[in-house]
Amino acid sequence: MAPGTTDIKENNRELLNAVGLRNTNQRSSILDIIRRGQGHLDADEVYRRARKKQPRLSLSTVYRTLQTLKELRLVEEVHLDEMHHHYEIKASKEHHHLICLGCGKVVEFECPMSLKMREDVSRENGFEVISTEIRMTGYCPNCRQGKQ
């Protein structure tokens, strides 16, 4: 077993129990895949990775599990493009995304100004803003260099 695997499995169990879900192999595996994903995975990629460990897992189970985990706010559904929904573990701090139009690379960043903007917009409009999502597109250093 890889170092830290036991800790992650225990953390997954605790997360699922805390929100009242039974700790099934499928749920724990999907949480683990998203946690270790090193990026923003779409449902198809979560499915492909999960099938390596659980060949009998269905795509519909992955979709249902992702929806449940999203509703329970254990994972976030991020719209990085118009084609798919991507999933990431619910972050402790609000963050935003830079998306390369060349290679698709996604870079997370924090923006203290977004917190101020959220407060200002809430106050000015009497609207309770729950979260802010900033998505910027452009070209990463590697793709910019390739264009020259």
Side-chain angles (χ1 to χ4, degrees):
M1 200 175 287
T5 301
T6 303
D7 293 340
I8 289 173
K9 286 184 185 284
E10 181 65 22
N11 192 321
N12 288 344
R13 187 183 64 74
E14 289 172 6
L15 273 175
L16 292 169
N17 288 338
V19 295
L21 281 181
R22 201 164 50 90
N23 180 30
T24 65
N25 286 337
Q26 292 92 346
R27 289 175 181 153
S28 185
S29 179
I30 289 168
L31 265 175
D32 186 43
I33 287 164
I34 295 170
R35 187 183 310 277
R36 293 175 183 264
Q38 298 179 347
H40 302 80
L41 306 176
D42 65 13
D44 289 334
E45 183 60 25
V46 171
Y47 173 67
R48 278 191 293 278
R49 292 181 186 193
R51 290 272 306 211
K52 290 178 183 174
K53 292 182 179 177
Q54 299 178 356
R56 296 180 61 189
L57 182 71
S58 71
L59 182 57
S60 63
T61 297
V62 170
Y63 275 108
R64 278 194 312 273
T65 301
L66 288 171
Q67 184 63 33
T68 300
L69 295 174
K70 184 181 92 168
E71 288 169 3
L72 294 170
R73 298 184 180 191
L74 296 177
V75 300
E76 290 183 323
E77 184 178 78
V78 183
H79 304 273
L80 301 175
D81 60 32
E82 294 180 20
M83 303 297 285
H84 319 75
H85 304 299
H86 295 78
Y87 298 89
E88 63 185 13
I89 292 294
K90 178 85 171 154
S92 59
K93 286 185 172 181
E94 185 172 88
H95 66 274
H96 309 289
H97 300 95
L98 296 169
I99 303 157
C100 180
L101 296 171
C103 66
K105 179 179 181 177
V106 178
V107 176
E108 294 180 353
F109 69 96
E110 292 180 23
C111 179
M113 286 178 44
S114 70
L115 297 174
K116 173 147 178 38
M117 183 175 67
R118 182 168 61 190
E119 291 169 3
D120 292 347
V121 168
S122 292
R123 186 180 60 256
E124 291 169 11
N125 296 285
F127 196 90
E128 181 185 6
V129 177
I130 303 298
S131 68
T132 307
E133 184 177 328
I134 297 173
R135 178 176 61 101
M136 296 183 184
T137 58
Y139 294 94
C140 70
N142 288 341
C143 290
R144 273 199 344 261
Q145 190 174 36
K147 287 174 64 171
Q148 295 175 356

